[in-house]
Amino acid sequence: MERISWDQYFMAQSHLLALRSTCTRLMVGATIVRDKRIIAGGYNGSISGGAHCIDDGCYVVEGHCIRTIHAEVNALLQCAKFGVPTENAEMYVTHFPCVHCTKAIIQSGIKKVYYASDYKNHPYSEELFNEAGVEVIQVELEEMILDRNNQEKLQFTAELLDKLGKAGHEKEELRKLHDRANQLYTSS
C-alpha cells in the first residue's frame, strides 16, 4: 500500500480540525507544521467559553461574523500561548486566507501556506504574500485516499454498472448512473 503524501496528510489534519468549527457560515481548519511535525492546529470558532454561532447565530457586522476567531489565527495563538516558535514554519489551511489572516501569517514568520480551496481570494492577500516572500500553494485534499476501501468500492460500482448493461438497461440510464458514480467518487 502506498503511503499518503505529507501534503495530503497535513491537509487532511486541517479538514479534520474544521469539523470542530462552530461557525455556521464556513468551517475552516488550519495546521501549522515545522520539520514535518505538527506544532499547532486551529479552527474557526468563538473565544473559549463564549457564545457560539451554532448556538446563538452569527454576529454579522458589515458582512463579517465578528464572533469568530479565524482558524489561522487560532493556530497562531496556540503557538503563542505555549511558546512555540512559528519562524520558517508552514501552514495548511482548508481555505485561502483572508487579508487579516494573511497579515498575521506573514508577521508570524510562516514561509509557506498550503490551501485546499479558493475562497474569496483577495488580490491584496496575494500581493502581501508575494511581497513577503511567502510561498502559497494550492493542495486540494484527495478525499478518496482517506478511504481504505476506495479501490474495492470503485471495482464494485464498475461491476454493478457492467451487470446492469448486460441486463439490458437503457444506455441513457446507464450513462446517468455512470455520471452519478463519477460525481460521488470525485466530489470533494
Side-chain angles (χ1 to χ4, degrees):
M1 173 175 19
E2 188 174 324
R3 290 173 56 181
I4 187 173
S5 73
W6 285 112
D7 287 342
Q8 289 297 305
Y9 172 73
F10 295 128
M11 192 57 73
Q13 293 292 327
S14 294
H15 281 274
L16 186 60
L17 281 162
L19 296 176
R20 289 283 305 155
S21 173
T22 61
C23 178
T24 58
R25 297 172 57 170
L26 183 68
M27 298 172 74
V28 180
T31 304
I32 301 176
V33 175
R34 187 177 47 250
D35 300 325
K36 302 271 188 265
R37 301 289 180 262
I38 296 171
I39 60 174
Y43 53 87
N44 57 330
S46 302
I47 60 169
S48 297
H52 295 281
C53 297
I54 58 174
D55 299 323
D56 294 348
C58 292
Y59 185 3
V60 178
V61 175
E62 297 177 1
H64 300 282
C65 179
I66 62 172
R67 186 183 307 276
T68 60
I69 302 169
H70 288 191
E72 301 93 326
V73 171
N74 260 333
L76 291 169
L77 290 172
Q78 187 179 40
C79 287
K81 185 176 185 177
F82 296 107
V84 178
T86 54
E87 189 71 28
N88 295 316
E90 301 172 344
M91 181 179 282
Y92 289 78
V93 63
T94 58
H95 295 78
F96 190 87
C98 72
V99 172
H100 297 295
C101 288
T102 296
K103 293 185 284 186
I105 290 166
I106 292 167
Q107 284 300 99
S108 73
I110 287 179
K111 292 299 177 195
K112 285 187 182 178
V113 175
Y114 299 88
Y115 72 98
S117 300
D118 289 316
Y119 181 73
K120 300 182 182 179
N121 300 26
H122 198 284
Y124 189 54
S125 290
E126 294 170 354
E127 180 182 331
L128 288 171
F129 279 138
N130 188 45
E131 288 175 358
V134 175
E135 192 174 351
V136 180
I137 305 158
Q138 186 171 18
V139 175
E140 295 181 23
L141 178 63
E142 297 171 19
E143 293 177 15
M144 290 176 65
I145 65 173
L146 300 177
D147 183 352
R148 299 186 65 119
N149 297 314
N150 177 55
Q151 291 303 316
E152 291 85 359
K153 289 176 183 178
L154 286 171
Q155 181 64 34
F156 180 71
T157 303
E159 289 171 8
L160 284 176
L161 290 171
D162 185 52
K163 286 182 180 187
L164 287 172
K166 289 177 180 174
H169 282 24
E170 294 180 26
K171 289 188 179 194
E172 182 60 25
E173 181 183 358
L174 284 172
R175 187 193 58 77
K176 287 179 182 177
L177 290 171
H178 185 269
D179 290 347
R180 179 69 178 134
N182 280 339
Q183 184 181 23
L184 287 171
Y185 284 115
T186 60
S187 66
S188 47

